[in-house]
Every structure is written in structure tokens, then in C-alpha cells.
Amino acid sequence: MNILITGASGFIGSFIVSEALRRGMNVWAAVRRTSSRKYLTDPRINFVELNLDSREEMVRQMAGLRFDAVVHAAGATKCLHADDFFRINTEGTRNLVNALRDMEMPLSRFVYVSSLSIYGPVRESQPYEEIRESDTPQPNTAYGRSKLESERFLDSLTDFPCVTLRPTGVYGPRERDYFLMAKSIKGHTDFSVGYKPQDLTFVYVEDVVQAVFLAIERGQNGRKYFLSDGLVYSSRTFSDLIHSELGRPWLLRIKAPIWVLRVVTFFGEYIGRMTGKISALNNDKYNIMRQRNWRCDIRPAVEELGYRPQYDLKRGVKLTVKWYVENGWL
């Protein structure tokens, strides 16, 4: 099978590349000219530079290539300006799909990696219930809105073999956002916000990869699947597990009201725009941390795809922290 993987140099994409190679697929890794290839060193990988800003240029860049499957994992999770989310996530998806259609690419499957964030704060009344596909999306972040617009574009295509995956918070080796929590805990500080109970869900990167290949093999065109490890955690579980894996260093736990985070992220976003450096503490981060219900219904993925999460949070955090330590991140 010839497979194209966009976002191949990124966190999730690099793991998808590794699994495709393990399965003996002919892998084409779509990268930018400036992309790091640190985790793409296998000599079997074919590279193609794709400019997701231009449908016409991608047709030229893919000339002569034929793919049986495409996994579209490219996208931006942090941007200085909200418009950039739509340029990269929404228009980039539209341009890629239209380029493939222009080339009459004989695809059996196009897997789109979306996000649970397209739903935003739904079912927030206690006791929290699982977010379901039938719920109306209410994205409260620019990232979530850009992903939702991408999904709506894909929904408008009646003859395109697309399956969409909607993972919750993805963590694992090489991931940088959750890493900041581990770094903070190693530095003896655990910061959390909000006093209202929060139900969190997570999915280890290898379980997302499992779902990608199940979607290629068994997915039904037009279907969308939530992904988590199938469990629900309190807001403190993740930090407690990291703390344990780091050998339980002395720790100052700070719990602040949500308005404190609003102030911090406001200035973080302002400073980011002034300096041109994207801050992890931005307006989207505020809305993500303010959201209280991250439960989601993975039964369709289990029943239709045969998805079986292999990593609960305890196992996943153990492997992740081990990787951070061994690779000099912590």
C-alpha cells in the first residue's frame, strides 16, 4: 500500500510513519522545507514537500505519485493569530483534498485527524455525561472552530472516502504541551486552576496510531470517531502520576481561581504577539482549561473499528516520563 502522511515530522505524524513502516507500507512523508526530520531517519521513508497553502502547487509537487491512503495529521495547535488556524487547518485541508481530487487520486481511504475540541463546553451540567456525536458542537477556541470547519468541508463531499478521528488530549513521548507540566513538577511546582470539578480524558499516542490504521482498514466513509483510553480522570490524576514517576520530589501545589488564568493568558497572548513567539499560555489555553467536561463516547470506535485502547494513564505516563528522562528533556 502507498500511503501519504501529512504532518509527518510532528508528534502524532512521526508515530504514524513508524507504524506504517512496520506494516511494510510504502511511506511518503509530507513535510515542509523547514521541518525537522529528527524522528524520520528510516531510509525507507520517501519525502515530499507539500505547500498546504496552494492547491495548484501541491498538484505539481505530487505529480507522478499515486497513493492508496492518505492520513492528514498536519495542523496547527498554537498560533499567534486566530486567522492562522483557519489558514493552516481549514484551508490547508481544503487545498490538500482538492489537489487530490484534481489528480483523480485512486484513494481507498482519507483519514482526517480532527479533535474533541470541536465540541467545546457541552454537557457541562453535573453529573457530567459523555459527549456524543449527536451533540451540537460549540467550539470555544480558534483551534476547535478551524477543525470544525474542516470537518464541515469534508462532510460536503459526497464521493470522498473520508473517516474522521476526534482524539481527546493526546500525550506521549515527543509531546511538548503536557511536557510543560512534567517540567514544572520537576521544578517543584504544580499549578492548577478552577474549583469546580473537572472530568478529564486522555489518549496515548500509540492508541491514536492504532485507530488510524483501523480507520484505513475498517472505517466507514463519512463516519467520525471519538478516541480516548476509555477512562475518566480527575484534574489531579495526571500530575500525581507524573510526580510519582519523577520520584516524588517536594512539591508546592498551587490552586488558583479561573480568573487568575484569564489574566495570565491575556498577558501571555499579548506578549506573544509583541515578540512574535507563540506562548503556551494563550486565549485558547484559557478556554481549554476552563472547560470542565472532557468525557466522550468511544463506543462507535470500539464497535465499528475494533478499537481497543492499550494504554491507561498510569501506563502511558510511565512510558512518557521515562522517554523524557532518557532523552534529556527532564
Side-chain angles (χ1 to χ4, degrees):
M1 173 181 283
N2 294 329
I3 185 171
L4 172 69
I5 301 166
T6 72
S9 63
F11 165 48
I12 298 175
S14 61
F15 279 92
I16 297 171
V17 168
S18 296
E19 178 62 15
L21 291 171
R22 191 191 70 79
R23 290 170 177 250
M25 295 180 175
N26 185 24
V27 177
W28 288 85
V31 296
R32 299 185 306 273
R33 185 169 301 173
T34 57
S35 297
S36 169
R37 302 187 185 187
K38 181 176 181 179
Y39 304 117
L40 301 174
T41 58
D42 193 299
R44 294 172 293 174
I45 300 173
N46 304 290
F47 290 96
V48 56
E49 292 182 6
L50 290 187
N51 178 11
L52 293 174
D53 288 331
S54 173
R55 167 181 179 174
E56 293 76 14
E57 188 172 349
M58 278 192 285
V59 170
R60 294 192 295 271
Q61 290 168 325
M62 292 188 289
L65 302 179
R66 284 293 179 265
F67 307 116
D68 303 297
V70 172
V71 180
H72 185 34
T77 58
K78 294 188 292 292
C79 292
L80 283 175
H81 305 284
D83 289 349
D84 289 335
F85 284 110
F86 294 91
R87 177 180 60 81
I88 297 167
N89 295 341
T90 308
E91 292 306 315
T93 299
R94 188 190 306 273
N95 290 334
L96 173 63
V97 170
N98 283 331
L100 293 168
R101 286 159 63 85
D102 289 345
M103 298 176 70
E104 299 182 349
M105 197 69 72
L107 295 180
S108 60
R109 186 75 70 230
F110 181 96
V111 178
Y112 179 54
V113 181
S114 186
S115 172
L116 176 60
S117 290
I118 73 159
Y119 276 86
V122 301
R123 298 186 181 271
E124 291 272 281
S125 299
Q126 292 180 267
Y128 304 133
E129 297 180 349
E130 292 178 338
I131 298 170
R132 303 184 181 93
E133 188 178 349
S134 58
D135 289 323
T136 300
Q138 303 172 31
N140 58 353
T141 63
Y143 169 73
R145 290 190 291 272
S146 69
K147 284 289 191 178
L148 178 59
E149 287 303 310
S150 300
E151 287 197 20
R152 286 174 171 165
F153 163 69
L154 292 167
D155 288 342
S156 72
L157 307 175
T158 58
D159 59 344
F160 193 68
C162 180
V163 174
T164 298
L165 301 178
R166 295 165 166 171
T168 184
V170 186
Y171 70 102
R174 309 173 192 167
E175 198 280 331
R176 293 187 176 276
D177 287 345
Y178 289 116
F179 162 70
L180 295 177
M181 180 186 293
K183 185 178 179 181
S184 177
I185 290 171
K186 186 180 181 182
H188 309 293
T189 303
D190 178 29
F191 180 79
S192 61
V193 296
Y195 299 111
K196 186 178 179 182
Q198 186 177 41
D199 283 357
L200 297 175
T201 52
F202 300 92
V203 59
Y204 188 68
V205 63
E206 294 283 12
D207 280 333
V208 176
V209 173
Q210 175 202 158
V212 165
F213 288 92
L214 287 170
I216 291 173
E217 296 167 0
R218 307 180 189 179
Q220 301 177 33
N221 291 344
R223 292 291 289 120
K224 303 176 177 66
Y225 301 99
F226 294 117
L227 301 178
S228 77
D229 67 7
L231 301 172
V232 179
Y233 303 93
S234 71
S235 56
R236 185 165 152 172
T237 306
F238 197 88
S239 62
D240 282 349
L241 288 170
I242 292 173
H243 186 226
S244 177
E245 291 301 324
L246 289 174
R248 299 186 180 278
W250 69 266
L251 192 63
L252 175 64
R253 294 189 183 274
I254 301 172
K255 194 174 187 69
I258 198 72
W259 66 262
V260 172
L261 179 66
R262 171 71 284 185
V263 172
V264 170
T265 55
F266 174 83
F267 284 105
E269 179 116 350
Y270 177 77
I271 293 170
R273 291 181 180 179
M274 291 292 292
T275 62
K277 296 180 180 180
I278 300 173
S279 170
L281 295 172
N282 52 46
N283 290 333
D284 268 13
K285 187 69 171 181
Y286 166 72
N287 285 315
I288 288 170
M289 294 184 72
R290 184 179 64 168
Q291 186 170 324
R292 299 287 96 182
N293 180 30
W294 290 93
R295 292 171 174 257
C296 59
D297 181 10
I298 68 168
R299 284 174 296 178
V302 170
E303 295 169 1
E304 296 177 21
L305 298 181
Y307 173 63
R308 299 290 186 274
Q310 300 298 305
Y311 300 83
D312 63 9
L313 196 59
K314 183 176 182 180
R315 182 186 181 196
V317 167
K318 183 179 185 67
L319 293 171
T320 301
V321 172
K322 182 175 184 288
W323 187 92
Y324 287 150
V325 172
E326 290 177 347
N327 287 268
W329 288 32
L330 289 174

